Amino acid sequence: MRAALDAVYREHARRVFSTLVRLLGSFELAEEALHDAFLAAAEQWPAHGVPAHPVAWLVSAGRYRTIDRLRRERRFMAWDDTLADPAPGPDALAEARDEIPDDRLRLVFTCCHPSLSEDARIALTLREVCGLGTEAIAAAFVLPTPTLAQRIVRAKAKIAAARIPYEVPGPAELPARLTSVLRVVYLVFNEGHAARDAGLADEAIRLARLLLVLMAPEPPAETRGLLALLLLSDARRAARLDADGALVPLDRQDRRLWNRALIAEGCTLAEAALRQRGFGAYALQAAIAAVHAEAADADATDWAQIVGLYDALWRVEPTPVVALNRAVAVAMRDGPEAGLALLRPLLPQLPAYPAAPAAAAELCRRAGLLDEARRHYRDAVALARQAPERDFLAARLAALCG
């Protein structure tokens, strides 16, 4: 039973939390209710079994235990007088089942309210919607953990003070809020991808699909583009690690393991996004991923088309990371020396980004500049966050030093 309870927690805890935020109107009360709900499950499920609808059961248990506690403490709130008797009946469970699917989307839009700074929106969503630890989010932001924690606390306080509603905004407000929400979903996927957390990556895809439905009948290009990008990236999941858990670079992956259904869906979405007005960085990144996905093997990759797409991406998003990726594509089209000429000036702009020295090391190795390659590999190993990447880079370094 402990294993079953742990599985329900991993899969559904943040969904339960999102609904409890809506029902209780407070992040803090929802966190306490979530704890109470799983405590109740630990007490009752071993005797009665896992309920048919565990999410609805947990929502009801957390909600009504919180109401009981508030009443006992005589901390009445305005909504308290309207609540039913704190014994969840079939109607309450049915309501919870019906309303839970969109609750996390509601919470995303709440956390991405324009009254918050962009960094606060993203940090709060990663913490409250996806359940990432404060330390992991701080690492993503390259910030001290206490600084990031204070940012989250201030964001919560601002939501409470401003009485920001827990809802998906109406048509008039939706476009302005969408950019931040898309970025949050993108970062959630990247965190899951980097940490090999399939559940987190799946949740980002689920949120992207919900956004696409929400924008119907004519979703904006970037909504389609983001989902396309996530699907095309996720399609390679099974090929990224070998049987021993070692990282397999893109050019050496067994493409028979790629998920062709996801690739077909992603390519269709990417093409649709590029046909719309207003497409941007996500649609262009999806188009680049589609070129890789459609190549029969690494040698068949159309690098000239990829360079052209990076040229377009640079005009939309002129960042050092885009320039780095374009430099690698130029190297694949024109040779390592051409890529290094573009890449070397970018290294000081990306001092904490492990992909930068890793790319420089690989191009130097291909160009026969072995001393410089070894130096860059050492830098990349020191910066790598995940063990598979670190082990892969260390192995490349060892091969050059052997």
Side-chain angles (χ1 to χ4, degrees):
M1 180 53 67
R2 177 58 185 270
L5 187 60
D6 288 346
V8 170
Y9 183 87
R10 287 193 301 271
E11 185 175 355
H12 297 302
R14 301 322 291 181
R15 185 176 298 179
V16 173
F17 171 77
S18 300
T19 298
L20 288 169
V21 172
R22 174 174 58 82
L23 295 173
L24 300 173
S26 162
F27 286 102
E28 287 71 23
L29 286 177
E31 286 285 4
E32 293 178 12
L34 181 67
H35 173 79
D36 288 344
F38 276 94
L39 181 61
E43 294 169 351
Q44 298 180 37
W45 290 7
H48 303 290
V50 178
H53 302 284
V55 174
W57 191 99
L58 290 163
V59 167
S60 296
R63 179 192 187 196
Y64 287 105
R65 281 198 172 198
T66 299
I67 293 166
D68 270 347
R69 177 169 52 80
L70 292 174
R71 283 174 171 162
R72 285 195 304 271
E73 295 172 359
R74 302 187 63 82
R75 289 166 56 190
F76 293 98
M77 296 184 179
W79 45 260
D80 199 26
D81 294 334
T82 67
L83 291 173
D85 185 84
D91 291 344
L93 291 175
E95 178 185 357
R97 288 199 301 272
D98 290 342
E99 295 186 0
I100 282 171
D102 287 341
D103 275 330
R104 196 171 293 191
L105 194 61
R106 292 188 182 100
L107 186 55
V108 169
F109 274 100
T110 302
C111 292
C112 294
H113 195 274
S115 66
L116 304 175
S117 71
E118 184 174 87
D119 285 347
R121 298 175 210 167
I122 295 167
L124 186 62
T125 305
L126 291 173
R127 178 69 189 92
E128 302 302 334
V129 179
C130 302
L132 293 185
T134 305
E135 290 185 0
I137 303 170
F141 277 96
V142 196
L143 287 173
T145 299
T147 301
L148 193 282
Q150 290 173 4
R151 181 176 293 173
I152 292 173
V153 169
R154 287 195 298 269
K156 289 181 182 178
K158 191 163 189 177
I159 287 174
R163 297 179 180 270
I164 291 173
Y166 179 74
E167 63 185 15
V168 176
E173 298 178 1
L174 200 52
R177 299 270 292 280
L178 185 60
T179 299
S180 185
V181 171
L182 292 177
R183 187 176 178 210
V184 166
V185 176
Y186 178 66
L187 288 177
V188 171
F189 179 85
N190 280 350
E191 184 65 29
H193 174 78
R196 307 293 186 268
D197 187 335
L200 199 57
D202 289 343
E203 180 59 25
I205 291 173
R206 190 188 74 84
L207 287 172
R209 288 191 187 280
L210 281 175
L211 283 170
L212 201 66
V213 171
L214 180 67
M215 301 293 122
E218 188 58 33
E222 283 294 80
T223 308
R224 281 196 172 102
L226 176 62
L227 180 56
L229 176 60
L230 302 193
L231 293 175
L232 289 164
S233 299
D234 199 55
R236 301 194 295 267
R237 182 192 297 183
R240 286 196 179 99
L241 300 179
D242 65 17
D244 298 322
L247 182 71
V248 182
L250 178 63
D251 61 340
R252 297 186 182 180
Q253 288 179 8
D254 182 351
R255 301 189 178 209
R256 294 171 298 179
L257 298 177
W258 289 4
N259 187 320
R260 290 296 159 185
L262 292 184
I263 288 173
E265 184 182 2
C267 288
T268 299
L269 285 165
E271 291 171 5
L274 291 177
R275 286 197 298 267
Q276 289 181 249
R277 297 181 61 182
F279 69 80
Y282 296 124
L284 288 166
Q285 289 178 78
I288 292 167
V291 175
H292 284 293
E294 291 174 335
D297 53 45
D299 291 339
T301 304
D302 188 345
W303 287 106
Q305 184 178 3
I306 289 177
V307 170
L309 288 167
Y310 272 121
D311 289 342
L313 181 59
W314 170 258
R315 290 191 290 271
V316 172
E317 194 174 88
T319 67
V321 171
V322 171
L324 172 69
N325 291 329
R326 181 184 179 277
V328 172
V330 168
M332 297 303 296
R333 184 189 66 181
D334 301 334
E337 294 83 0
L340 282 169
L342 299 172
L343 192 151
R344 286 192 181 106
L346 299 171
L347 293 176
Q349 302 176 49
L350 297 164
Y353 189 58
E362 177 61 16
L363 295 187
C364 287
R365 184 189 68 80
R366 289 176 52 203
L369 305 172
L370 301 188
D371 287 341
E372 187 177 353
R374 283 188 282 266
R375 185 172 72 252
H376 289 310
Y377 272 129
R378 291 189 185 97
D379 291 341
V381 169
L383 291 172
R385 290 177 53 200
Q386 304 296 331
E389 284 82 359
R390 191 162 49 248
D391 293 344
F392 173 80
L393 293 166
R396 286 290 178 96
L397 175 61
L400 288 182
C401 295

